[in-house]
Amino acid sequence: MDIPVLNHELADDELTWVREVYADFAAARTASPSTKPREILREVLGRPQHALPQPIDLTGDGVWRGGRNQHGRLVAAVFLPTVELHTHLASRTDQFPMYVAGEAEGFALDEAGRGYLEPVVGGGHFHNPPGAHHAFVPKTGQAVPADWEIAFIAITPRNLREDTHAVPDSVKREYERVVGRPAPTRV
């Protein structure tokens, strides 16, 4: 791989923006409990007060891409119906859960290479430094709902297509030990 390592710190205004988006999303969701969360998130991200210098393309049902903030970082809304265990060898990623259909946990490794799970809560922050192996997973020990999905805002320094990699077998084994389910086979 021949790309530079990008391991920035998020600026205060980036964190404030995400907190404000989540607060408005949570309030709108409470006010309209019968509306699908994805549609509420689309409406909230389309509000003028949340507009980015380069707006997110909010069309369609897939990942909403194309946003770029005032620091030049890419901003997207991601919807995952399956687990994606992977790493970005040269890119920091920041993920901010908006909602989960069902329950979720974040899988990662500590400094000793031991897997652990962290509860996912709306408005939380998952910081993945370059090379961190990570995944959002359905809550362990529970049946996985057929409509399981996690939605999050991602802030990244580059298009991650060039820097998304499969994890080694040792990480897959640790994932299986901690999560209790087979590791996903695709990135």
Side-chain angles (χ1 to χ4, degrees):
M1 189 177 76
D2 201 19
I3 60 175
V5 173
L6 299 176
N7 191 16
H8 59 281
E9 291 295 325
L10 291 181
D12 289 343
D13 59 332
E14 290 174 289
L15 296 170
T16 298
W17 180 84
V18 173
R19 281 193 294 270
E20 290 172 354
V21 165
Y22 182 75
D24 286 356
F25 169 75
R29 195 167 178 200
T30 298
S32 299
S34 62
T35 304
K36 292 181 179 180
R38 187 179 301 212
E39 294 310 313
I40 294 171
L41 186 57
R42 185 189 318 264
E43 187 273 325
V44 168
L45 287 170
R47 292 178 184 175
Q49 67 265 35
H50 301 308
L52 297 169
Q54 184 174 322
I56 299 171
D57 179 356
L58 300 173
T59 60
D61 289 330
V63 175
W64 298 333
R65 294 183 167 93
R68 193 173 292 273
N69 67 21
Q70 62 278 14
H71 301 280
R73 290 188 261 280
L74 299 172
V75 181
V78 180
F79 307 93
L80 293 180
T82 59
V83 175
E84 294 184 5
L85 176 62
H86 60 275
T87 186
H88 308 290
L89 295 177
S91 305
R92 170 181 168 148
T93 62
D94 290 275
Q95 300 166 318
F96 301 88
M98 294 286 120
Y99 69 85
V100 179
E103 293 184 74
E105 297 171 301
F107 170 82
L109 300 178
D110 64 17
E111 290 94 25
R114 303 263 313 154
Y116 67 93
L117 296 169
E118 185 175 336
V120 170
V121 295
H125 180 189
F126 286 81
H127 159 237
N128 301 302
H133 307 293
H134 59 277
F136 286 120
V137 302
K139 177 116 175 127
T140 58
Q142 295 182 3
V144 180
D147 64 345
W148 185 87
E149 174 182 79
I150 183 165
F152 58 91
I153 300 292
I155 300 177
T156 62
R158 63 169 48 102
N159 182 330
L160 295 176
R161 288 186 185 135
E162 64 189 45
D163 189 26
T164 299
H165 305 274
V167 301
D169 288 342
S170 60
V171 173
K172 291 178 184 176
R173 286 191 297 275
E174 189 64 8
Y175 173 95
E176 291 173 2
R177 183 189 71 77
V178 172
V179 174
R181 291 192 270 279
T185 56
R186 64 178 184 84
V187 175

